[in-house]
Amino acid sequence: MPLLFSNRRVGCSTVVTRSVTSCRPAKLGLRSRRAAEIRCSRSETFAGLTDRRQLLLNIGTSLLLQQAVSPGIAQELGGVQILDDKEGFGQHAVRQGDLVLVHYTGVVEETGEVFDSTRGGLRYRDGGRGVFRPLAFRLSGFPQPGVCEGLQQALVGMKIGGQRSVLVPPQLGFGGAAVLAPYAGVPANSVLRYDVELVRVSALGPDAMMKGMSQCSAGGASASTGNCEAVEPAEFF
């Protein structure tokens, strides 16, 4: 007689949603027994496929949830690892060739020592007081004085107001040479961590980007820090 099972194995059958005939029919002829065995085999195959599909679905869902609740999982961007990424509010995503105005803090990952920063609050190597002044430069894809290739790569795709924390490998940092940075020395072959914020971006040149910043110069020995803390995010295209 038909037996009703609920998500459990009896004999050789796994019943999922409906009644099935027992896999060990009693007192049946050879032909009837063979037909019952075929039905049993098909039932097992269907149940097995259902179980595997459900398993794959569960795995996929778990991975999606893990990504949703673990924003700190590192992502790759041109060889740079993005540890944290807070999206900005601008309309334009930074690309190579753009002129940018940024705040950043650079740290030697192994020691935790700050070697460079635009945010001030520390003492330079020579004992002078660090100043709060954003840095302007053009994304060229090539190392520039004080701006390694990895820091430039970290800015690609950002919008004004956005913030990122990244890890830069030695080959995109300062390489195999020791470097004397404003706040500390950087040992050869160091992994660097940058916390960077995009303040402004321009495709119209420096005059447009530096609008309203006459008292906050971009750097240099005679640089001024007046009004630097009042600089507001902006984009010029």
PDB file of all heavy atoms in Angstrom, residues 11 52 66 69 71 82-83 102 106 148 200 218 229:
ATOM      1  N   GLY A  11      13.815   2.617   3.418  1.00  0.00           N
ATOM      2  CA  GLY A  11      14.280   1.719   2.368  1.00  0.00           C
ATOM      3  C   GLY A  11      15.266   2.457   1.506  1.00  0.00           C
ATOM      4  O   GLY A  11      16.228   3.018   1.975  1.00  0.00           O
ATOM      5  N   ARG A  52      21.086  18.562  -4.249  1.00  0.00           N
ATOM      6  CA  ARG A  52      22.273  19.260  -4.729  1.00  0.00           C
ATOM      7  C   ARG A  52      21.957  20.699  -5.125  1.00  0.00           C
ATOM      8  O   ARG A  52      22.728  21.616  -4.848  1.00  0.00           O
ATOM      9  CB  ARG A  52      22.889  18.507  -5.914  1.00  0.00           C
ATOM     10  CG  ARG A  52      23.636  17.241  -5.492  1.00  0.00           C
ATOM     11  CD  ARG A  52      24.492  16.718  -6.617  1.00  0.00           C
ATOM     12  NE  ARG A  52      23.696  16.165  -7.700  1.00  0.00           N
ATOM     13  CZ  ARG A  52      23.259  14.915  -7.735  1.00  0.00           C
ATOM     14  NH1 ARG A  52      23.520  14.085  -6.733  1.00  0.00           N
ATOM     15  NH2 ARG A  52      22.561  14.481  -8.761  1.00  0.00           N
ATOM     16  N   GLN A  66      27.526  37.035   3.234  1.00  0.00           N
ATOM     17  CA  GLN A  66      28.843  37.314   3.816  1.00  0.00           C
ATOM     18  C   GLN A  66      29.418  38.599   3.250  1.00  0.00           C
ATOM     19  O   GLN A  66      29.978  39.419   3.969  1.00  0.00           O
ATOM     20  CB  GLN A  66      29.790  36.149   3.541  1.00  0.00           C
ATOM     21  CG  GLN A  66      31.150  36.301   4.212  1.00  0.00           C
ATOM     22  CD  GLN A  66      32.060  35.141   3.890  1.00  0.00           C
ATOM     23  OE1 GLN A  66      32.032  34.592   2.795  1.00  0.00           O
ATOM     24  NE2 GLN A  66      32.863  34.741   4.847  1.00  0.00           N
ATOM     25  N   VAL A  69      27.496  41.667   4.756  1.00  0.00           N
ATOM     26  CA  VAL A  69      27.740  42.027   6.153  1.00  0.00           C
ATOM     27  C   VAL A  69      29.218  42.187   6.455  1.00  0.00           C
ATOM     28  O   VAL A  69      29.581  42.538   7.563  1.00  0.00           O
ATOM     29  CB  VAL A  69      27.141  40.955   7.102  1.00  0.00           C
ATOM     30  CG1 VAL A  69      25.657  40.832   6.876  1.00  0.00           C
ATOM     31  CG2 VAL A  69      27.815  39.598   6.914  1.00  0.00           C
ATOM     32  N   PRO A  71      31.862  44.277   4.762  1.00  0.00           N
ATOM     33  CA  PRO A  71      32.400  45.209   3.787  1.00  0.00           C
ATOM     34  C   PRO A  71      33.907  45.321   3.845  1.00  0.00           C
ATOM     35  O   PRO A  71      34.526  45.867   2.971  1.00  0.00           O
ATOM     36  CB  PRO A  71      31.729  46.539   4.175  1.00  0.00           C
ATOM     37  CG  PRO A  71      31.406  46.386   5.621  1.00  0.00           C
ATOM     38  CD  PRO A  71      31.081  44.935   5.806  1.00  0.00           C
ATOM     39  N   ILE A  82      41.778  47.096  -1.587  1.00  0.00           N
ATOM     40  CA  ILE A  82      40.857  48.029  -0.942  1.00  0.00           C
ATOM     41  C   ILE A  82      40.307  47.359   0.308  1.00  0.00           C
ATOM     42  O   ILE A  82      39.578  46.379   0.235  1.00  0.00           O
ATOM     43  CB  ILE A  82      39.713  48.420  -1.890  1.00  0.00           C
ATOM     44  CG1 ILE A  82      40.265  49.082  -3.152  1.00  0.00           C
ATOM     45  CG2 ILE A  82      38.739  49.358  -1.181  1.00  0.00           C
ATOM     46  CD1 ILE A  82      39.207  49.437  -4.169  1.00  0.00           C
ATOM     47  N   LEU A  83      40.637  47.902   1.460  1.00  0.00           N
ATOM     48  CA  LEU A  83      40.182  47.340   2.726  1.00  0.00           C
ATOM     49  C   LEU A  83      38.826  47.892   3.141  1.00  0.00           C
ATOM     50  O   LEU A  83      38.021  47.185   3.749  1.00  0.00           O
ATOM     51  CB  LEU A  83      41.209  47.641   3.831  1.00  0.00           C
ATOM     52  CG  LEU A  83      42.633  47.158   3.575  1.00  0.00           C
ATOM     53  CD1 LEU A  83      43.532  47.560   4.735  1.00  0.00           C
ATOM     54  CD2 LEU A  83      42.665  45.651   3.364  1.00  0.00           C
ATOM     55  N   VAL A 102      43.264  65.919  -2.514  1.00  0.00           N
ATOM     56  CA  VAL A 102      42.989  64.828  -1.585  1.00  0.00           C
ATOM     57  C   VAL A 102      43.575  65.104  -0.202  1.00  0.00           C
ATOM     58  O   VAL A 102      44.517  65.890  -0.043  1.00  0.00           O
ATOM     59  CB  VAL A 102      43.579  63.493  -2.101  1.00  0.00           C
ATOM     60  CG1 VAL A 102      43.010  63.136  -3.463  1.00  0.00           C
ATOM     61  CG2 VAL A 102      45.100  63.543  -2.152  1.00  0.00           C
ATOM     62  N   GLY A 106      49.516  58.196   5.291  1.00  0.00           N
ATOM     63  CA  GLY A 106      50.257  57.006   4.894  1.00  0.00           C
ATOM     64  C   GLY A 106      50.941  56.369   6.087  1.00  0.00           C
ATOM     65  O   GLY A 106      51.571  57.055   6.890  1.00  0.00           O
ATOM     66  N   CYS A 148      53.197  57.920  -4.637  1.00  0.00           N
ATOM     67  CA  CYS A 148      53.553  56.673  -5.305  1.00  0.00           C
ATOM     68  C   CYS A 148      52.434  56.240  -6.259  1.00  0.00           C
ATOM     69  O   CYS A 148      51.302  56.731  -6.208  1.00  0.00           O
ATOM     70  CB  CYS A 148      53.823  55.570  -4.284  1.00  0.00           C
ATOM     71  SG  CYS A 148      52.392  55.090  -3.300  1.00  0.00           S
ATOM     72  N   ARG A 200      38.353  67.185  -4.055  1.00  0.00           N
ATOM     73  CA  ARG A 200      37.957  67.806  -5.315  1.00  0.00           C
ATOM     74  C   ARG A 200      38.539  67.039  -6.498  1.00  0.00           C
ATOM     75  O   ARG A 200      39.549  66.361  -6.366  1.00  0.00           O
ATOM     76  CB  ARG A 200      38.410  69.274  -5.379  1.00  0.00           C
ATOM     77  CG  ARG A 200      37.666  70.199  -4.419  1.00  0.00           C
ATOM     78  CD  ARG A 200      38.040  71.657  -4.647  1.00  0.00           C
ATOM     79  NE  ARG A 200      37.211  72.533  -3.831  1.00  0.00           N
ATOM     80  CZ  ARG A 200      37.215  73.870  -3.903  1.00  0.00           C
ATOM     81  NH1 ARG A 200      38.028  74.480  -4.759  1.00  0.00           N
ATOM     82  NH2 ARG A 200      36.428  74.585  -3.135  1.00  0.00           N
ATOM     83  N   ALA A 218      48.903  74.765  -2.504  1.00  0.00           N
ATOM     84  CA  ALA A 218      49.015  73.321  -2.682  1.00  0.00           C
ATOM     85  C   ALA A 218      50.255  72.713  -2.064  1.00  0.00           C
ATOM     86  O   ALA A 218      50.389  71.507  -2.017  1.00  0.00           O
ATOM     87  CB  ALA A 218      48.981  72.992  -4.178  1.00  0.00           C
ATOM     88  N   GLU A 229      41.002  74.349   6.103  1.00  0.00           N
ATOM     89  CA  GLU A 229      39.971  73.537   6.749  1.00  0.00           C
ATOM     90  C   GLU A 229      38.578  73.888   6.256  1.00  0.00           C
ATOM     91  O   GLU A 229      37.627  73.143   6.496  1.00  0.00           O
ATOM     92  CB  GLU A 229      40.052  73.696   8.269  1.00  0.00           C
ATOM     93  CG  GLU A 229      41.343  73.153   8.854  1.00  0.00           C
ATOM     94  CD  GLU A 229      41.306  73.101  10.376  1.00  0.00           C
ATOM     95  OE1 GLU A 229      40.210  73.237  10.945  1.00  0.00           O
ATOM     96  OE2 GLU A 229      42.381  72.927  10.981  1.00  0.00           O
TER      97      GLU A 229
END
